[in-house]
Amino acid sequence: MKANIALVGFMGSGKTTIGRILAKSLDMKFIDIDRCISIREKKTIPEIFEEYGEKHFRDLERKIIEEESSDNNIVISTGGGAIVDNVNIKNLKTTSFVVFLDCDVNTIYERVKRSKTRPLLNNSDDILKTIEELYEKRKTLYKISSDFSIKIDLNTNIYDSVEKIKNAYILS
């Protein structure tokens, strides 16, 4: 069994919410990579994107994932785009049981359509189309990077999802 659990998936898939509950139920520490970045930079994610660009954000993300994933007994909630960086995937796969929260596009849209904290959607004229295009580009990476995947939609019971992930992790 690997020392950690890393949750991957598109923005709005529930990584932070499920991660907190999962960590508590397994008596593990919870780390939200986006929150770590915000704290370290003393800026919101949208501010970082606006001031320095996505490349700078991805560099910060890589550094923090490397640092945090080297610890043990933690549940890591990654950012939605963390899997586009091979170094992140390598670090997570080495140290963590990687779980893909496979959330359908319509659920993602419903969860994020009014959010102002999603820099990749903030300037979009058609949020649903942007989500569909980004998700399509990333879906294969999510799948091949994960050890386990779980379907998420608007009817998903969060506690059932936590139990399924917990059982898969324990049996891994």
Side-chain angles (χ1 to χ4, degrees):
M1 180 184 325
K2 293 184 180 174
N4 303 318
I5 300 172
L7 303 177
V8 299
F10 203 77
M11 66 179 90
S13 62
K15 297 179 300 290
T16 300
T17 304
I18 288 174
R20 280 194 178 106
I21 297 167
L22 182 63
K24 188 172 184 168
S25 73
L26 289 168
D27 197 27
M28 296 171 85
K29 180 179 172 185
F30 174 72
I31 298 290
D32 183 299
I33 298 299
D34 284 351
R35 187 166 185 274
C36 290
I37 293 169
S38 288
I39 290 169
R40 186 171 293 183
E41 294 295 300
K42 297 178 179 65
K43 295 181 185 305
T44 66
I45 301 300
E47 288 170 341
I48 295 167
F49 265 75
E50 189 175 315
E51 290 181 37
Y52 306 109
E54 185 176 0
K55 183 188 180 319
H56 177 76
F57 173 81
R58 297 295 173 205
D59 291 343
L60 293 168
E61 182 178 57
R62 182 183 317 108
K63 184 176 182 179
I64 291 175
I65 286 175
E66 185 175 1
E67 291 168 8
E68 295 295 343
S69 66
S70 67
D71 203 355
N72 289 327
N73 204 40
I74 58 174
V75 174
I76 304 166
S77 170
T78 66
I83 47 80
V84 301
D85 186 321
N86 288 332
V87 175
N88 289 340
I89 293 170
K90 182 180 176 206
N91 284 330
L92 293 171
K93 292 287 287 177
T94 301
T95 62
S96 307
F97 180 71
V98 181
V99 177
F100 171 33
L101 302 185
D102 188 4
C103 191
D104 73 78
V105 172
N106 291 323
T107 299
I108 293 166
Y109 174 73
E110 287 302 317
R111 291 177 176 179
V112 304
K113 66 184 177 186
R114 290 183 187 84
S115 175
K116 299 299 179 209
T117 62
R118 311 289 182 169
L120 296 177
L121 300 179
N122 285 350
N123 297 321
S124 175
D125 293 330
D126 186 343
I127 292 172
L128 180 58
K129 183 178 179 192
T130 302
I131 290 169
E132 289 170 338
E133 289 171 354
L134 263 177
Y135 191 76
E136 192 57 38
K137 285 181 189 174
R138 295 177 179 175
K139 190 168 186 168
T140 300
L141 290 173
Y142 292 131
K143 286 182 177 184
I144 64 173
S145 303
S146 62
D147 299 303
F148 180 73
S149 71
I150 186 166
K151 293 280 189 194
I152 306 286
D153 62 31
L154 287 171
N155 298 315
T156 300
N157 180 300
I158 210 162
Y159 297 100
D160 288 345
S161 297
V162 167
E163 282 303 309
K164 288 176 186 172
I165 295 168
K166 201 161 91 172
N167 290 335
Y169 172 66
I170 290 166
L171 294 173
S172 69

